[in-house]
Amino acid sequence: MKVSAIICAAGKGERAGFSKNKLLAPLYGAPALFHTLQAFDIPTVDEVVVASSPADFEEISALCAPFCYKTVLGGATRTDSVYCALKECTGDIVLIHDGARPFVSRDIIEGCIASVKNNRSGICAVPVTDTIAVADGGRIREVPDRSSLFSIQTPQGFFREDIAVAYELAVNDGRTYTDDSAVFRQYVGEPALCAGSRDNVKLTFKSDFAREYPAMNAAVGQAIGIGADVHVFGKKQDFVTLCGVKVPHICGLIAHSDGDVPVHAAMDALLSAAGLKDIGHYFPDTDPAYGGADSMELLKKVAKLIRGEGFAPLNLSVTIRAEQPRLAPHIERMKDNLAKALCIPPERVGVSAGTCEKLGFVGQGLGIEASAAVLLERKA
């Protein structure tokens, strides 16, 4: 099932006492929202939509750009913002998360997804440990049994068709909610709890930004990977696909997928640097699902795999060897395509092309060879 995540970042966070949205205030050397965005950059989440206010839209969009997340305008209330973001989600499952909870872990996110699959919903929560009193006029009126009390957190997960209908009804009824489980409970049914964490705290006050949490996202090194691939001419078509560009030629390359040689080399370089298996393991040529597959889309999947392992690409260098066709006019488009797939600036991508001076397999015009080198930054 495809999983979408909504991150609510359209509020003002006035209780924190900053002059701007608290999510843009610094936390461990970066805006607090950056850490929340990074937490959802894992293979099990396919799509992220971030709701922003008009005032913060430009800055939040810039934070989302390296992750290839979509930014949408929210509304006057949290209910309105989630409703706007839901319209942009395409996943079967939707997780809704507060941008002010940057300490959410991968285990929590994946546990929430599993709860939706098994129970139709997943509301992250932790048992209450303090005694809770119901008061009126400064006097305690009731002390509930805390064994049945839970502190509700986010993310909160649902099937998209359920929560979309619930929010549609809530907006039509003119009701506002501060919690997604309340919307689900009002219009769909009783939501199911799943495991949260006491570390998954919400940044509410300025003092929350000064707590002694473990340092996040500290770089602990870099990793280099290399990859290579080759394909033979012979497919009956009038182009070859290289770095997502259809270059005119008398015939195509024979391959199970679209035969994008340099992209295959880049994929193996990325996987190698991250210490993962090669592309044949993840996209076997015995699987009909990858017949004629768009290699640029497979490259995006590989990029997500390595990010899930705690890596981020810093740069990529690709070399293509071919007697024909002439590639120079297409190099810039190739660079742009690779940069977009990896979510890095085009200036960090190098693509060079040359011949083999009539030597060997490539020099005889029988096919195309490519090699790639990549530098990854590893995060703690």
Side-chain angles (χ1 to χ4, degrees):
M1 289 185 176
K2 182 177 180 179
V3 176
S4 299
I6 293 172
I7 296 178
C8 301
K12 297 179 180 179
E14 294 173 335
R15 286 181 291 177
F18 294 110
S19 60
K20 60 180 180 179
N21 186 342
K22 66 183 178 183
L23 298 183
L24 300 176
L27 179 71
Y28 300 116
L33 180 60
F34 170 82
H35 301 296
T36 308
L37 300 177
Q38 191 171 57
F40 282 83
D41 191 22
I42 58 177
T44 42
V45 176
D46 302 288
E47 172 185 69
V48 177
V49 178
V50 181
S52 168
S53 67
D56 300 326
F57 190 84
E58 184 175 354
E59 192 167 352
I60 288 178
S61 295
L63 285 174
C64 291
F67 300 98
C68 296
Y69 294 166
K70 185 171 186 177
T71 311
V72 300
L73 286 174
T77 66
R78 188 182 188 281
T79 302
D80 292 333
S81 294
V82 174
Y83 180 62
C84 292
L86 276 168
K87 294 179 181 178
E88 301 297 325
C89 291
T90 61
D92 305 289
I93 291 173
V94 175
L95 308 183
I96 305 173
H97 186 68
D98 293 327
R101 290 188 187 271
F103 305 104
V104 63
S105 68
R106 179 170 176 172
D107 286 345
I108 291 175
I109 294 169
E110 294 183 345
C112 184
I113 295 169
S115 181
V116 176
K117 292 178 179 178
N118 295 327
N119 306 305
R120 200 179 177 185
S121 57
I123 312 302
C124 292
V126 293
V128 168
T129 56
D130 294 326
T131 297
I132 304 297
V134 179
D136 182 25
R139 293 184 179 275
I140 294 176
R141 303 300 182 187
E142 181 184 356
V143 180
D145 178 7
R146 68 184 181 191
S147 66
S148 63
L149 299 178
F150 287 79
S151 179
I152 301 299
Q153 302 179 338
T154 63
Q156 299 183 12
F158 316 89
F159 286 115
R160 179 169 58 90
E161 57 186 14
D162 286 341
I163 198 64
V165 169
Y167 265 93
E168 182 80 32
L169 292 170
V171 170
N172 289 342
D173 290 345
R175 297 185 178 187
T176 59
Y177 297 83
T178 58
D179 180 79
D180 311 292
S181 66
V183 183
F184 184 88
R185 186 171 182 271
Q186 177 70 34
Y187 295 102
V188 181
E190 292 186 350
L193 296 180
C194 61
S197 169
R198 302 202 186 280
D199 292 330
N200 185 25
V201 296
K202 186 176 182 181
L203 302 173
T204 303
F205 303 104
K206 186 175 288 189
S207 59
D208 295 332
F209 287 75
R211 292 183 181 181
E212 292 297 326
Y213 291 109
M216 300 173 64
N217 306 315
V220 295
Q222 296 177 335
I224 297 172
I226 58 173
D229 193 35
V230 61
H231 282 296
V232 64
F233 288 122
K235 188 174 183 179
K236 293 182 179 180
Q237 63 183 32
D238 59 358
F239 64 89
V240 292
T241 302
L242 301 173
C243 300
V245 178
K246 292 184 177 180
V247 181
H249 192 51
I250 57 173
C251 65
L253 294 167
I254 297 174
H256 184 62
S257 64
D258 60 4
D260 198 325
V261 188
V263 169
H264 297 170
M267 291 163 65
D268 265 338
L270 289 161
L271 292 167
S272 174
L276 299 174
K277 297 180 180 179
D278 62 23
I279 59 174
H281 172 80
Y282 297 101
F283 314 108
D285 59 11
T286 55
D287 189 340
Y290 301 115
D294 183 339
S295 293
M296 293 301 298
E297 292 301 314
L298 300 184
L299 177 60
K300 293 176 185 177
K301 292 181 183 293
V302 167
K304 199 170 188 69
L305 275 173
I306 66 164
R307 289 197 297 268
E309 296 297 317
F311 293 93
L314 289 179
N315 80 317
L316 171 68
S317 177
V318 172
T319 298
I320 307 170
R321 294 296 179 197
E323 295 297 320
Q324 292 291 333
R326 186 168 179 268
L327 302 180
H330 309 284
I331 295 296
E332 290 304 314
R333 286 178 59 201
M334 293 180 184
K335 289 181 58 175
D336 288 343
N337 287 348
L338 293 171
K340 288 177 182 177
L342 297 181
C343 295
I344 59 176
E347 56 267 26
R348 294 188 188 175
V349 176
V351 176
S352 60
T355 69
C356 284
E357 302 295 335
K358 306 297 182 180
L359 298 175
F361 168 85
V362 173
Q364 295 174 34
L366 299 178
I368 294 179
E369 182 271 339
S371 58
V374 66
L375 178 63
L376 303 184
E377 181 181 29
R378 187 170 186 171
K379 304 288 186 176

